[in-house]
């Protein structure tokens, strides 16, 4: 029989048979990755996502709404911490894979979850730190852009896709116009490509502006930016 109790260090979930899992236990594999092992990171992110889904659809239902909301809020808080610049690329990548896998899992009501995930992804794409990108950093940006595309496609009952696409497209175009380093330019063309792929009808209004600015990316000194822009 499922038992539960609250500790000062967080919510503890106890299963019969002596096995225990907390939010720490659910997400622990994300904290034990090789710094640049992105292949392992993707596999781990998907495995953790399945564990979270199993909890949400199974044992999580035994909790009061308040306790369940607290657990999910803690999962989201840890995800946001993991994608921060202070984390190694593998942890950031795995956390983004986890986020992407959870987009279609309803854990919060209304647009709360969509907004939360969009803000986490934006923080990855548009951070203001000016640093030289490694291949792992570029993979993290691409993963974040894919998650943004997934959010665009998935939406939700109360989700205004037109407003979302308009906001993201304008922001990407502005970042591309003002880019002085590889990171904002690469993030911009990645986002433009995902919006065009997942919401072509809503994105159509921005095509003229894209055509005006895409030449900046095609002439960028960084080959990665030029390559992504050519297929955006």
């Amino acid at each position: 029989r499922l038992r539960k109790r609250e500790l000062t260090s967080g919510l503890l979930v106890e299963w019969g048979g002596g096995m225990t899992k907390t939010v720490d236990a659910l997400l622990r594999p994300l904290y034990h990755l090789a710094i640049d092992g992105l292949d392992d990171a993707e596999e781990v992110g998907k495995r953790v996502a399945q564990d979270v889904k199993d909890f949400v659809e199974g044992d999580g239902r035994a909790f009061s709404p308040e306790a369940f909301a607290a657990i999910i809020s803690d999962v989201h808080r840890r995800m946001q911490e993991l994608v921060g610049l202070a984390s190694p690329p593998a942890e950031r990548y795995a956390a983004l894979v986890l986020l992407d896998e959870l987009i279609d899992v309803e854990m919060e009501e209304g647009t709360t979850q969509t907004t939360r995930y969009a803000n986490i992804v934006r923080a990855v794409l548009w951070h203001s730190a000016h640093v030289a990108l490694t291949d792992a950093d570029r993979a993290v940006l691409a993963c974040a852009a894919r998650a943004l595309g997934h959010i665009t496609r998935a939406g939700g009952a109360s989700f205004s896709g037109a407003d979302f696409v308009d906001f993201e497209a304008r922001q990407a175009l502005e970042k591309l116009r003002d880019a002085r380093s590889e990171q904002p330019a690469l993030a911009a063309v990645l986002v433009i490509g995902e919006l065009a792929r997942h919401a072509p009808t809503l994105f159509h209004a921005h095509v003229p502006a894209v055509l005006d600015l895409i030449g900046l990316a095609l002439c960028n000194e960084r080959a990665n930016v030029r390559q992504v822009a050519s297929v955006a």
Side-chain angles (χ1 to χ4, degrees):
R1 186 175 65 86
L2 180 70
R3 307 187 306 278
K4 58 183 182 296
R5 57 191 174 92
E6 293 188 2
L7 301 177
T8 56
S9 60
L11 287 164
L12 174 65
V13 185
E14 293 190 10
W15 278 265
M19 187 175 78
T20 65
K21 280 192 178 182
T22 62
V23 174
D24 281 339
L26 280 171
L27 304 187
R28 184 175 295 126
L30 301 178
Y31 294 90
H32 296 279
L33 290 160
I35 291 177
D36 293 317
L38 297 192
D39 289 340
D40 289 341
E42 181 160 6
E43 179 184 345
V44 168
K46 289 182 177 181
R47 189 167 71 243
V48 171
Q50 188 60 56
D51 288 342
V52 174
K53 291 176 187 177
D54 290 344
F55 172 76
V56 169
E57 296 168 0
D59 294 304
R61 296 181 180 181
F63 285 84
S64 69
E66 294 78 12
F68 179 79
I71 293 172
I72 297 306
S73 179
D74 198 18
V75 169
H76 289 153
R77 179 183 63 80
R78 310 265 186 120
M79 286 167 53
Q80 187 160 12
E81 291 175 353
L82 280 163
V83 302
L85 288 175
S87 299
E91 289 182 4
R92 302 178 72 208
Y93 191 91
L96 285 165
V97 170
L98 169 62
L99 182 151
D100 196 12
E101 292 287 320
L102 295 180
I103 288 170
D104 295 317
V105 180
E106 187 173 348
M107 297 185 289
E108 295 179 297
E109 294 183 356
T111 60
T112 301
Q113 181 171 307
T114 301
T115 301
R116 190 192 302 273
Y117 285 179
N119 286 336
I120 291 174
V121 170
R122 288 169 186 145
V124 176
L125 291 166
W126 309 125
H127 66 79
S128 58
H130 297 289
V131 294
L133 298 182
T134 65
D135 287 343
D137 293 327
R138 296 182 186 100
V140 168
L141 287 178
C143 190
R146 288 194 296 273
L148 192 72
H150 189 174
I151 293 169
T152 302
R153 182 180 75 248
S158 305
F159 179 73
S160 175
D163 290 344
F164 184 84
V165 170
D166 184 66
F167 177 84
E168 300 301 335
R170 290 179 184 276
Q171 180 163 239
L173 290 167
E174 179 182 341
K175 296 291 186 180
L176 180 58
R177 182 185 301 111
D178 299 334
R180 296 293 181 269
S181 62
E182 181 185 2
Q183 187 272 330
L186 181 58
V189 293
L190 285 167
V191 168
I192 288 169
E194 292 296 330
L195 294 176
R197 187 173 301 112
H198 292 289
T201 301
L202 296 175
F203 186 73
H204 183 74
H206 298 281
V207 170
V210 171
L211 294 177
D212 285 343
L213 289 172
I214 200 69
L216 294 175
L218 291 171
C219 296
N220 192 281
E221 63 181 8
R222 301 286 185 177
N224 292 285
V225 176
R226 296 196 303 271
Q227 180 180 2
V228 173
S230 68
V231 296

